[in-house]
Amino acid sequence: MACTTGLPPAGPQTAYDFSAIDRIMRDSVSTIYNGNAVIMITIDGKPAYVRSYGNLTPTTRRPIASNSKWLTGAVLLSLVDDGKLSLSDTVGRFLPVFSRYGKGGITIRQLLSHTSGFPGNSEQRYELIKYRNSTLAAIADSIAMRVPLKYKPGSTFEYGGVSMQVAGRIAEVVTGKAWEALFQEKIAGPCQMRDTDYGQLSNPALAGSVRSTASDYTNFLIMLVNGGMFNGKRVLSEPSVLAMQQNQSGNVVTGHSPYPDKPPFNPYHNEVIRYGIGCWRDVVAPGDRAEEVSSPGLFGAHPWIVPSKKLTGYIFTFQLNAGYTLSRATSLRIRSLVREAVK
């Protein structure tokens, strides 16, 4: 059924034919999305298609897992805009303890693009919420001292969360602010994400602890397709928004990735789909221009944008067990149908 949102009023629903999405959801919402889902598609900042199923609405808050990575990357890039750091800066410049343990040469770019050389996740699980009573400062020190590099920095793509804890600690050091306060100031506040946070933890899992709503997160996506602007105010610079979508992982080999190297939905059939900052570059046109990027999460929530069309999409759902594995194929099919409808 259609429902209200925190976005501006929807335009005529006949502008695009999304009936195929209706059919998919009727056939599969009970089995694929556990009966509960919200689909929100906006074009040029206005709702084009909004549907709710089960007990989820656009303002229901749930954990969104790896959708968090896109938000974390945005916070770091806001500090690039402020001149506090650059993507090419090394960890050792801000956190000397990493230099003492031979890890100071890792760059912030490598931390955010999963090419730092660290394992995706540490044996100690420093990057998870189990350390909620610790601090980001203490966890970063523990990573420096106790998590060995798995690869030479810049050589291998290893998806995970441990390196993002380090990036977040750098953000705290250069600003003198706690991560949650920084996120609220730089991203959540300007994008009117009133029900979004990292769990209010002193050691937030920066790769996966965010709680949000479909409406809130869609505001963030609208900001991205508007080149960093939201409601007439600048949140990120255009170069920073573009940096998120550019190939930041380089021509490296893949150690661990939950994403296919050759997604069937990429019409250009590139050899390898690379990672930007906090997001996957799903459809990359000749000239290395990202046409479609996304940041799906473990529990099934699946956001994406098509910058050239100012289109945002979010399939918001929550399945604690195997949500991403169960829903990925259907979510990608929905994205394909959206591309066919909005040409």
Side-chain angles (χ1 to χ4, degrees), residues 55-204:
N55 62 16
L56 293 184
T57 74
T59 57
T60 305
R61 185 164 74 164
R62 292 288 186 271
I64 59 173
S66 283
N67 300 179
S68 307
K69 292 179 174 66
W70 219 342
L71 300 174
T72 296
V75 173
L76 268 294
L77 282 167
S78 76
L79 302 183
V80 172
D81 288 340
D82 291 345
K84 299 284 189 182
L85 49 81
S86 73
L87 294 178
S88 59
D89 282 340
T90 62
V91 174
R93 176 181 175 185
F94 306 104
L95 305 176
V97 65
F98 281 81
S99 295
R100 292 200 295 272
Y101 287 87
K103 305 165 189 172
I106 297 168
T107 67
I108 294 173
R109 186 190 317 277
Q110 290 165 347
L111 291 174
L112 296 175
S113 64
H114 307 293
T115 59
S116 66
F118 281 116
N121 297 301
S122 62
E123 290 184 5
Q124 302 88 344
R125 294 298 189 261
Y126 289 130
E127 64 285 348
L128 299 182
I129 295 176
K130 64 177 288 187
Y131 288 95
R132 66 177 68 223
N133 294 322
S134 187
T135 65
L136 201 50
I139 289 299
D141 286 350
S142 294
I143 291 170
M145 293 184 285
R146 299 185 179 94
V147 180
L149 292 178
K150 187 175 180 180
Y151 308 102
K152 178 183 177 181
S155 70
T156 305
F157 180 89
E158 179 91 354
Y159 187 80
V162 65
S163 64
M164 283 198 164
Q165 298 303 100
V166 181
R169 178 53 186 160
I170 291 173
E172 290 187 333
V173 167
V174 300
T175 63
K177 299 176 181 178
W179 178 266
E180 185 68 57
L182 192 57
F183 168 67
Q184 295 297 328
E185 174 190 336
K186 292 296 188 179
I187 304 299
C191 292
Q192 299 180 16
M193 303 170 74
R194 298 181 179 89
D195 293 309
T196 302
D197 61 36
Y198 280 77
Q200 299 294 332
L201 305 171
S202 55
N203 176 45

Side-chain angles (χ1 to χ4, degrees), residues 7-323:
L7 296 169
Q13 293 289 303
T14 57
Y16 302 97
D17 181 5
F18 293 121
S19 58
I21 299 175
D22 285 333
R23 289 193 294 272
I24 283 184
M25 297 308 293
R26 283 198 302 268
D27 293 342
S28 62
V29 69
S30 61
T31 55
I32 300 301
Y33 297 109
N34 198 30
N36 303 299
V38 174
I39 300 181
M40 300 186 70
I41 298 167
T42 76
I43 299 174
D44 201 19
K46 297 180 175 60
Y49 180 88
V50 182
R51 298 289 187 274
S52 293
Y53 303 87
N55 62 16
L56 293 184
T57 74
T59 57
T60 305
R61 185 164 74 164
R62 292 288 186 271
I64 59 173
S66 283
N67 300 179
S68 307
K69 292 179 174 66
W70 219 342
L71 300 174
T72 296
V75 173
L76 268 294
L77 282 167
S78 76
L79 302 183
V80 172
D81 288 340
D82 291 345
K84 299 284 189 182
L85 49 81
S86 73
L87 294 178
S88 59
D89 282 340
T90 62
V91 174
R93 176 181 175 185
F94 306 104
L95 305 176
V97 65
F98 281 81
S99 295
R100 292 200 295 272
Y101 287 87
K103 305 165 189 172
I106 297 168
T107 67
I108 294 173
R109 186 190 317 277
Q110 290 165 347
L111 291 174
L112 296 175
S113 64
H114 307 293
T115 59
S116 66
F118 281 116
N121 297 301
S122 62
E123 290 184 5
Q124 302 88 344
R125 294 298 189 261
Y126 289 130
E127 64 285 348
L128 299 182
I129 295 176
K130 64 177 288 187
Y131 288 95
R132 66 177 68 223
N133 294 322
S134 187
T135 65
L136 201 50
I139 289 299
D141 286 350
S142 294
I143 291 170
M145 293 184 285
R146 299 185 179 94
V147 180
L149 292 178
K150 187 175 180 180
Y151 308 102
K152 178 183 177 181
S155 70
T156 305
F157 180 89
E158 179 91 354
Y159 187 80
V162 65
S163 64
M164 283 198 164
Q165 298 303 100
V166 181
R169 178 53 186 160
I170 291 173
E172 290 187 333
V173 167
V174 300
T175 63
K177 299 176 181 178
W179 178 266
E180 185 68 57
L182 192 57
F183 168 67
Q184 295 297 328
E185 174 190 336
K186 292 296 188 179
I187 304 299
C191 292
Q192 299 180 16
M193 303 170 74
R194 298 181 179 89
D195 293 309
T196 302
D197 61 36
Y198 280 77
Q200 299 294 332
L201 305 171
S202 55
N203 176 45
L206 299 188
S209 71
V210 169
R211 305 174 298 183
S212 191
T213 71
S215 182
D216 270 15
Y217 202 95
T218 293
N219 284 355
F220 171 70
L221 299 177
I222 289 171
M223 179 274 292
L224 294 179
V225 298
N226 282 338
M229 299 288 290
F230 187 79
N231 278 359
K233 296 182 179 179
R234 182 154 297 284
V235 182
L236 292 175
S237 69
E238 286 192 53
S240 283
V241 172
L242 288 174
M244 298 183 86
Q245 302 165 22
Q246 292 168 344
N247 181 2
Q248 301 294 348
S249 60
N251 187 25
V252 299
V253 299
T254 299
H256 165 69
S257 171
Y259 229 52
D261 272 353
K262 300 179 181 180
F265 52 85
N266 177 21
Y268 299 105
H269 305 292
N270 310 70
E271 285 301 309
V272 179
I273 300 302
R274 293 298 183 190
Y275 201 80
I277 292 178
C279 57
W280 300 93
R281 308 172 76 233
D282 299 316
V283 179
V284 182
D288 203 43
R289 178 174 57 86
E291 288 189 355
E292 193 164 329
V293 296
S294 68
S295 187
L298 181 64
F299 305 137
H302 195 123
W304 77 98
I305 61 174
V306 183
S308 64
K309 301 183 187 304
K310 290 197 172 182
L311 182 149
T312 78
Y314 199 17
I315 302 168
F316 185 82
T317 188
F318 177 77
Q319 296 184 72
L320 191 59
N321 297 314

